[in-house]
Every structure is written in structure tokens, then in C-alpha cells.
Amino acid sequence: MILATTSSTFATLGEMVTVLSIDGGGIKGIIPGIILEFLEEQLQELDNNTDARLADYFDIIGGTSTGGLLTAMISIPNENNRPIAAAKDIVPFYFQHGPKIFESSFDIKTDKPVIFTKSELANSPQLDAKMYDICYSTAAAPIYFPPHYFVTNTSNGDKYEFNLVDGAVAAGNPHGQHYLVLIQVGENLLKKPVSKDKPETYEEALKRFAKLLSDRKKLRANKASY
């Protein structure tokens, strides 16, 4: 995700062009969702306006794949010409609709959902599968395609069998655990430094950026009133 401006000097603040670009990444859209929620909350606090929305502060908002979905949520106007969703609605949206949009896999032998993620490899080395096996598995919709069988080998020489089909066959929400991991990733990211050479955290940088956006909006409003 990219937050950008054409200038950072107060002298040209009113003419500054602000751009919000949101990356794709499937269900990982939860991560920018966490970041955008934090930024919008800062803007609401600065302007003492709980109805403030990101679209009020950016000239251009765009994204690809899941980023395009987020763009639509926070920018398409409703009947009152306000964005159809607040940034705080993003994560709940993914929890509710994610299983229908982003599918994992389900093991018909163990009767359990299987989520392949690098963050779990240290504790679950058997999940170190080939990408084509993962893709075949998540696309193996019953009736249309047969279950996908494959074996992974750990560094210890252990073998693990997988008999996977499309994760949508699982009862309830097979993605819940994965979603919680992504939320934690987003929240942890806010606490991390922007770079090794700059101790400022992403949270601090977003607060500073929110102040810049707020000042710019107020300056434009004042100019428009003359």
C-alpha cells in the first residue's frame, strides 16, 4: 500500500495532490484494512468528526485485485453521496464474505481445513508444499474436480499426506484462524519502524501523515470560502 503526496511543504499544501494506492493480495487485504482503519480514526480525531472518511482527504484512490475491492468500499458514494463503507468496516467485511471470495483447502481424510502460510512453517513444516499443489487443492471443487492428493517431506524425512478439496466445503468459516493471523500482522506492522535508519514507527508516521492530510483539507476549505 502506498500513501503519497506531491509535496510536503506548507507553502504548497493547498495544491498538494494526495494518492492512496492499495495493493492486491487476496485475503491479505485485511492487512491494509487495519492500516486504513487506523489512519481514518486519526483523521476523525484530528477533525473532531466521526463521519470523516478517507475519500474526503485523497484526490486519487486506486487499487488492484483485493485492493480494488477496498477502493470501491471506501470511495463509491451511497445515496447521500458519502462512501458506502468506513475503513472500520473492511475487516468485518472480509470475515463475513471472505469465505465466499477467497478459498482455502479442506482435507477430506482428516476432516479439517488446511491453510498454507509461511508464518506457520516453523511449527508445521509439513505445510511447506509446492505452489501448484496448493493451487490444485484450492480449485478442487467437488463434482467438478477430483480431490488433489500429494505428499510433503520435512527436513527430518517425515512424510505427510494431503487429500484436499476446495475449502468452501467446510462447515462454518475455515478461514477464521488465518484471518486472525492477518489482523495480528497488520497490528504488529503499525508498531514496527518504517526503516532501519529511521526509528519512527508506522503508527507514528501515519499520525504525522494524518495531520498533513487534515491541515491540507482545512486549508482548501478556507480558500474555497473566500
Side-chain angles (χ1 to χ4, degrees), residues 39-59:
L39 178 59
E40 190 168 86
E41 287 176 348
Q42 295 303 307
L43 291 167
Q44 291 171 346
E45 182 177 332
L46 284 167
D47 290 350
N48 193 28
N49 179 12
T50 57
D51 191 48
R53 298 290 181 263
L54 293 170
D56 300 329
Y57 299 85
F58 286 94
D59 297 303

Side-chain angles (χ1 to χ4, degrees), residues 52-182:
R53 298 290 181 263
L54 293 170
D56 300 329
Y57 299 85
F58 286 94
D59 297 303
I60 302 172
I61 301 178
T64 58
S65 186
T66 197
L69 179 61
L70 297 187
T71 296
M73 290 180 66
I74 63 176
S75 62
I76 292 179
N78 59 19
E79 64 276 7
N80 298 317
N81 202 34
R82 298 295 294 149
I84 58 174
K88 67 179 181 180
D89 299 323
I90 293 173
V91 172
F93 173 86
Y94 275 82
F95 265 81
Q96 181 178 355
H97 300 287
K100 303 173 186 176
I101 304 173
F102 311 104
E103 300 175 356
S104 62
S105 300
F106 187 80
D107 197 309
I108 58 175
K109 189 172 182 179
T110 63
D111 199 33
K112 293 181 179 180
V114 178
I115 299 173
F116 294 95
T117 170
K118 287 184 177 180
S119 64
E120 291 297 318
L121 290 183
N123 298 321
S124 304
Q126 72 274 15
L127 295 177
D128 191 11
K130 301 293 185 182
M131 183 56 68
Y132 61 78
D133 282 322
I134 297 174
C135 292
Y136 272 120
S137 300
T138 195
I143 300 178
Y144 299 102
F145 300 102
H148 183 59
Y149 168 82
F150 64 95
V151 176
T152 60
N153 299 281
T154 69
S155 58
N156 295 327
D158 296 326
K159 295 180 180 293
Y160 290 85
E161 293 185 359
F162 292 92
N163 298 269
L164 304 179
V165 295
D166 174 1
V169 304
N173 181 3
H175 307 266
Q177 182 179 358
H178 188 33
Y179 291 2
L180 293 176
V181 170
L182 291 173

